[in-house]
Amino acid sequence: MTRTVEAPAPDDAGSADQRGPLTELYRDLRTSPDGLAGREAVRRLAVHGPNTLTRRGGPSWPRELLAQFTQPPVLLLAVAAVLAWVGGTPSLSLAVVAVIVLNAAFAFVQERQAERAVDALAAFLPPTARVVRDGVRVEIEAAALVPGDVLVLTEGDRVCADARIIDGALTVDLSALTGESVPTTRSADPAPVTGSLLEARDLVFSGTTCTGGEATTVVTRTGMHTELGRIATLSQRGRARPSPLERQVRRVTWIIAAVAVLVGVAFVPVGIAAGLGWAAAITFSIGLIVANVPEGLLPTITLALASGVRQLARRGAVVKRLSAVETLGSVTVICTDKTGTLTENRMRVTTLWLAGGEMDATAAPDDEGARLLTTAAAACTTAEAPAIGDPTELALLRLATDLGVGVTPAERAAARRTVFHFDAHLKRMSTLDHGVLHTKGAPEAVLPCCTSIHRTDGPVPLDDATRGEVARTLDRYAASGLRVLAVARRAVDAVPPDRTDAERDLELLGLVAMVDPPRAAVPDAVARAHRAGIRVHVVTGDYGPTAVEIGRRVGIGSGRVVTGEELDRLGDAELDALLARDEEIVFARTSPESKLRICEALQAGGAIVAMTGDGVNDAPALRHADIGVAMGRSGTDVAREAATMVLTDDDFATIVAAVSSGRQVFDNVRKFVLYIFAHAVPEVVPFLVFALTGGAVPLPLTVLQILAIDLGTETLPALALGREPAEPGAMERPPRPRSAGVVDPALLVRAWLLLGTVSAALVMGGFLLTLVRAGWQPGDATGAGNPLHGAYLQATTITFVGIVACQIGTAFAARTDRASLFSIGLGSSPLLLWGIAFELVFSAAVVFVPWLQDVFGTAALDPSQLAVVVPFPFVVWGADEIVRWARRRSGPSVRGLVH
């Protein structure tokens, strides 16, 4: 078979001189200003590989596995193993060591699963790039870029590869490579540079961001051959920082560990003084330590957070770090943009206003003034029809096409001489096309630049009467929720030296009014936010009355409008006082600095702020907010990188759903912490009774039985509680304070004094009842060879089974913090039911399988003995249900006792 060998693509991008003449660069890269052919790009991708960074260095899993052996619970178990060896019970010591290994392996697997869950979220945000392929501008995945591609960069884009500018100019933030925070200007006009490539004025580099301008570039290096790739080879992957929740629980675990050790050490001499031997005292100490170890607590929290991240991703909210999940649940204020977040971001021109009157744009009027207005508006755009670009500009292009005056991107580019991009402060944009300057923007930004207005018989001065008519028209449109742009023009002979000189003495052509209807799900989401005690402020660059009308339709705002100019005149104290009021405000015509001021003022007042944004200039506010929320569809790369959470659907309702999920995750963490802490009491009390009676009451529970409970019966229900459905009323209560912890006195009171004490009383009652029935009296010998030894084994088995039964009752009680269990249903958590089923099967095996009886020191129970423990779950759950019922009836007085 004959195989045709194609001419190879350039062997390595490094072979092309990036700073040589463009003609030579095109030759070396075998490309042209028209870009690559699609088939050639595919061949080059096969040669050079994907445009991604390869993670170097050895695997991280050995370090992660080793870290599992330095957790506080593991160190406690290690102390217990040493004590068992010193005390002459090597079999117990080996059993504890086996528990350490199993616990570390289980935690390691859980954390690896959580890490993979977070890493997999990258698929929700595939980076893209605009390139010219086969002479047509298309959008592709950035990973498919190859040397020789013609790459188009605009404001807000992240540079995906090293490239040379061949047309246009950019302002680029190189801080990712140089550490210099001041953006630099790059253009197609090279300046002589003999130093570092980073200083070349016509080169841009992967990993940097465009903060302004627009340029066409040719890709010279991709992947690990870029400057960023070079740095990546010298860098090692940083270790993930624990979330505040994990740090808090780790601190609590250390406290519990310290208390367990101190109590264990203190009771050794107490036991000896009470008549116990050294071996019995050490066994008691080991049991006390093991009973207090909350095994699996930290990895279970990590898994719960990762589960919350996956749940949010399915709802359309990509959270970039685990710690943000807990923060979401405590958000008190949402500062939301209007366009695209509250609205559909599908603009449609409805009305045109000209000096001669008003007309319906949808009827495609055959009016010369309307055609002139539409032509100028379409010329002053950078969007690429039909779907690439700003929605407002796309609406203008669609209108131009409908009126028969549309232009193709190629025709528009051929006519364009220069462009003054939209400026967030000036709120307008201008282009110079064939000797005519076209300007569009916010009416209040364009009208001051106008000195005349277009009429059919020629331009006339823009007098006060006409300006008043325009102002009344704007108010009327805004009151109807319409977005309005003013369009103007001016004939020029040459390219103006600067923007100020260009945008003067303009002729107003008219107003373009368009509608962007609210999203259908937003009103209900706003109502949910209000019920949850969350205030919603609208912070938008749009016209005030328009934003107020949209806010009114979705239920936001008290009608109070603060414009950007008014905000700038407010001092910090005045702004703090304004935001401290219990009202929702529409901030209109705001600048990026205003957004940041609003965020800082809210945080200074104790608020936990979620701030939305989509533009480059929103990055400071997004980065400063407690939860920065970027738009995944309409947002820029800069905004997405600065944000904590990215909405894949750009929908306000998704933010509220994320807050609900955040509350759910935090509540679930408290549920399994309550569950784990509660059963420590019935495990500790038997050892205390044994020690304080000087052995007159035999040890009701063995250390191996505790390990069987903590690692066998506890784990799956705890994991199931970490994935509980949201409790009814979770979004009906106010946000939790910033200082509120997952472990607080109220939780400890409920765990130890209520659930734990009831469980301990039941368990000890069952143990003593079994011995008394067999004729035992305090002080009677129960060791091997004694007549009561069989009854003693059954009594310890009753203790083991009783703790398991109390665990079941605790698990059902922990499912709700305030509501009745009947309000959520017994079967609404299938995972918990499966966990309890496993718990019962495992316990039955420990009790009835002969070889497991020998290992754990258990004995088979008859039906009458099993009947003793059957009520235990109902008593434990019932006691907690009664307290929750009392809390619901009596309010704050009881609520302060048991949270």
Side-chain angles (χ1 to χ4, degrees):
M1 184 173 74
T2 303
R3 182 167 61 94
T4 301
V5 180
E6 301 283 354
D11 55 349
D12 181 31
S15 62
D17 184 2
Q18 299 181 82
R19 289 184 287 189
L22 273 176
T23 54
E24 295 182 7
L25 183 62
Y26 288 142
R27 181 198 64 198
D28 294 341
L29 293 173
R30 294 178 187 164
T31 188
S32 71
D34 295 328
L36 298 173
R39 296 177 63 183
E40 174 63 19
V42 172
R43 284 193 291 268
R44 295 192 184 192
L45 184 62
V47 172
H48 295 285
N51 177 37
T52 56
L53 296 182
T54 304
R55 185 173 293 171
R56 300 290 181 90
S60 61
W61 66 264
R63 182 178 65 250
E64 295 174 1
L65 181 59
L66 182 62
Q68 303 303 327
F69 293 95
T70 60
Q71 303 293 337
V74 175
L75 296 178
L76 270 182
L77 290 176
V79 171
V82 172
L83 289 176
W85 188 273
V86 173
T89 54
S91 58
L92 178 58
S93 178
L94 293 176
V96 174
V97 170
V99 168
I100 291 174
V101 174
L102 289 174
N103 186 60
F106 180 69
F108 172 72
V109 170
Q110 284 183 309
E111 292 190 5
R112 293 291 290 179
Q113 288 178 344
E115 181 180 342
R116 285 196 296 269
V118 175
D119 289 343
L121 296 179
F124 285 89
L125 293 173
T128 59
R130 291 183 298 277
V131 299
V132 178
R133 294 270 177 92
D134 296 312
V136 178
R137 186 179 296 189
V138 295
E139 190 165 316
I140 65 171
E141 290 191 8
L145 279 175
V146 294
D149 261 325
V150 172
L151 172 67
V152 179
L153 297 173
T154 60
E155 176 183 348
D157 287 346
R158 181 176 57 196
V159 182
C160 304
D162 288 2
R164 177 168 171 178
I165 299 177
I166 58 179
D167 181 52
L170 294 168
T171 304
V172 184
D173 179 3
L174 292 175
S175 59
L177 298 179
T178 66
E180 176 59 52
S181 60
V182 179
T184 61
T185 301
R186 298 296 165 98
S187 67
D189 300 323
V193 175
T194 57
S196 168
L197 281 176
L198 296 176
E199 299 177 7
R201 298 300 179 184
D202 55 348
L203 298 181
V204 291
F205 301 95
S206 179
T208 61
T209 52
C210 303
T211 59
E214 180 177 358
T216 303
T217 67
V218 59
V219 175
T220 56
R221 300 173 187 263
T222 60
M224 295 302 291
H225 298 295
T226 63
E227 285 294 301
L228 187 64
R230 181 182 65 82
I231 295 174
T233 60
L234 304 176
S235 304
Q236 293 184 354
R237 181 186 177 191
R239 298 183 63 182
R241 297 174 57 188
S243 73
L245 177 63
E246 292 171 311
R247 288 196 297 268
Q248 182 186 108
V249 173
R250 184 174 285 114
R251 183 168 58 252
V252 172
T253 305
W254 274 112
I255 293 173
I256 293 174
V259 171
V261 170
L262 291 175
V263 172
V265 172
F267 269 96
V268 169
V270 172
I272 294 174
L276 298 176
W278 276 102
I282 290 176
T283 299
F284 157 75
S285 178
I286 294 172
L288 197 61
I289 291 173
V290 172
N292 277 282
V293 172
E295 296 98 341
L297 183 59
L298 292 177
T300 304
I301 287 176
T302 302
L303 197 64
L305 293 176
S307 175
V309 169
R310 288 194 297 267
Q311 179 180 346
L312 289 173
R314 287 193 293 268
R315 293 190 178 190
V318 179
V319 177
K320 295 164 63 176
R321 64 175 186 267
L322 287 179
S323 59
V325 179
E326 58 179 295
T327 308
L328 275 167
S330 56
V331 165
T332 59
V333 176
I334 300 175
C335 294
T336 178
D337 197 0
K338 179 184 73 69
T339 304
T341 308
L342 299 179
T343 63
E344 295 180 357
N345 201 20
R346 292 191 301 177
M347 303 300 297
R348 180 173 56 87
V349 178
T350 60
T351 307
L352 301 177
W353 181 90
L354 307 170
E358 183 177 277
M359 56 189 65
D360 184 358
T362 59
D366 187 15
D367 181 271
E368 188 61 31
R371 295 170 65 86
L372 180 62
L373 171 62
T374 304
T375 301
C380 190
T381 59
T382 57
E384 302 286 342
I388 302 175
D390 180 78
T392 300
E393 293 193 343
L394 292 176
L396 297 175
L397 293 177
R398 285 193 293 268
L399 175 64
T401 300
D402 293 341
L403 297 184
V405 294
V407 294
T408 66
E411 293 171 339
R412 185 181 57 192
R416 182 158 297 169
R417 296 295 175 263
T418 190
V419 58
F420 298 101
H421 288 277
F422 178 80
D423 186 280
H425 297 280
L426 298 177
K427 297 183 178 62
R428 59 179 180 262
M429 168 189 177
S430 298
T431 60
L432 179 58
D433 309 286
H434 278 322
V436 179
L437 184 86
H438 297 112
T439 300
K440 77 173 193 308
E444 69 270 24
V446 174
L447 286 174
C449 301
C450 297
T451 57
S452 61
I453 184 170
H454 179 80
R455 293 186 182 275
T456 55
D457 53 352
V460 298
L462 188 60
D463 54 24
D464 292 340
T466 306
R467 290 182 186 274
E469 182 183 356
V470 172
R472 290 189 295 274
T473 302
L474 289 174
D475 291 339
R476 180 164 51 86
Y477 287 165
S480 301
L482 298 176
R483 183 177 183 183
V484 185
L485 293 177
V487 182
R489 70 173 183 177
R490 179 171 76 91
V492 295
D493 297 327
V495 177
D498 54 45
R499 185 165 196 158
T500 302
D501 183 71
E503 296 173 340
R504 61 176 177 83
D505 300 331
L506 299 178
E507 176 188 0
L508 179 65
L509 298 178
L511 304 176
V512 178
M514 55 189 73
V515 65
D516 183 13
R519 292 178 181 268
V522 169
D524 180 65
V526 170
R528 290 186 65 203
H530 289 163
R531 290 195 299 269
I534 299 173
R535 281 189 298 160
V536 184
H537 298 304
V538 179
V539 185
T540 178
D542 213 338
Y543 191 49
T546 303
V548 168
E549 173 62 18
I550 293 296
R552 185 192 64 78
R553 293 187 187 182
V554 299
I556 299 175
S558 59
R560 176 70 182 273
V561 181
V562 177
T563 65
E565 292 182 357
E566 294 171 343
L567 185 61
D568 292 339
R569 290 195 295 266
L570 292 177
D572 289 341
E574 294 173 306
L575 179 58
D576 291 347
L578 174 66
L579 291 171
R581 300 174 185 172
D582 190 19
E583 64 176 339
E584 294 177 336
I585 302 170
V586 173
F587 293 94
R589 296 305 194 202
T590 55
S591 65
E593 291 80 4
S594 298
K595 264 193 167 184
L596 186 57
R597 279 194 68 201
I598 293 168
C599 179
E600 290 175 338
L602 286 167
Q603 290 174 325
I608 298 178
V609 182
M611 174 76 72
T612 71
D614 56 7
V616 174
N617 292 329
D618 293 326
L622 293 177
R623 191 174 286 112
H624 194 80
D626 296 282
I627 296 290
V629 183
M631 303 299 109
R633 291 182 178 177
S634 61
T636 61
D637 289 337
V638 176
R640 286 193 288 263
E641 287 181 358
T644 309
M645 183 172 74
V646 180
L647 303 183
T648 59
D649 55 5
D650 294 8
D651 192 345
F652 177 85
T654 305
I655 302 175
V656 179
V659 172
S660 176
S661 293
R663 292 191 178 189
Q664 176 185 345
V665 168
F666 185 83
D667 288 348
N668 287 349
V669 170
R670 285 179 57 88
K671 288 173 185 177
F672 67 69
V673 169
L674 172 71
Y675 171 77
I676 290 173
F677 281 15
H679 81 259
V681 177
E683 290 181 359
V684 170
V685 166
F687 287 89
L688 296 179
V689 172
F690 168 68
L692 295 177
T693 60
V697 175
L699 194 63
L701 192 67
T702 68
V703 174
L704 286 178
Q705 288 171 355
I706 290 178
L707 296 178
I709 292 169
D710 290 353
L711 295 177
T713 65
E714 170 194 289
T715 305
L716 290 184
L719 292 176
L721 287 172
R723 299 190 178 189
E724 272 285 306
E727 183 177 350
M731 288 295 284
E732 309 293 329
R733 63 174 186 256
R736 61 183 174 90
R738 184 187 292 267
S739 59
V742 65
V743 179
D744 56 15
L747 183 142
L748 296 179
V749 167
R750 186 182 178 196
W752 289 342
L753 294 186
L754 177 59
L755 295 170
T757 300
V758 172
S759 298
L762 292 172
V763 168
M764 287 304 303
F767 173 78
L768 295 173
L769 177 63
T770 304
L771 285 179
V772 170
R773 280 181 174 179
W776 171 86
Q777 293 182 356
D780 288 348
T782 57
N786 289 291
L788 292 174
H789 182 63
Y792 169 70
L793 291 180
Q794 288 184 323
T796 59
T797 305
I798 284 287
T799 305
F800 167 77
V801 175
I803 291 178
V804 173
C806 290
Q807 276 184 328
I808 296 174
T810 300
F812 280 110
R815 291 191 61 197
T816 64
D817 179 63
R818 182 173 171 80
S820 169
L821 179 63
F822 298 110
S823 67
I824 64 174
L826 294 175
S828 59
S829 179
L831 286 177
L832 180 60
L833 297 180
W834 281 108
I836 291 175
F838 171 81
E839 193 173 18
L840 294 175
V841 171
F842 180 84
S843 301
V846 170
V847 172
F848 294 105
V849 174
W851 69 270
L852 289 179
Q853 292 175 346
D854 296 335
V855 172
F856 293 100
T858 58
L861 301 177
D862 59 43
S864 64
Q865 292 171 325
L866 289 174
V868 172
V869 300
V870 169
F872 286 9
F874 302 98
V875 175
V876 172
W877 162 76
D880 190 75
E881 186 76 21
I882 291 172
V883 171
R884 281 184 276 118
W885 173 80
R887 286 171 55 200
R888 292 193 298 271
R889 287 182 60 86
S890 60
S893 58
V894 177
R895 196 175 306 136
L897 176 63
V898 182
H899 179 64

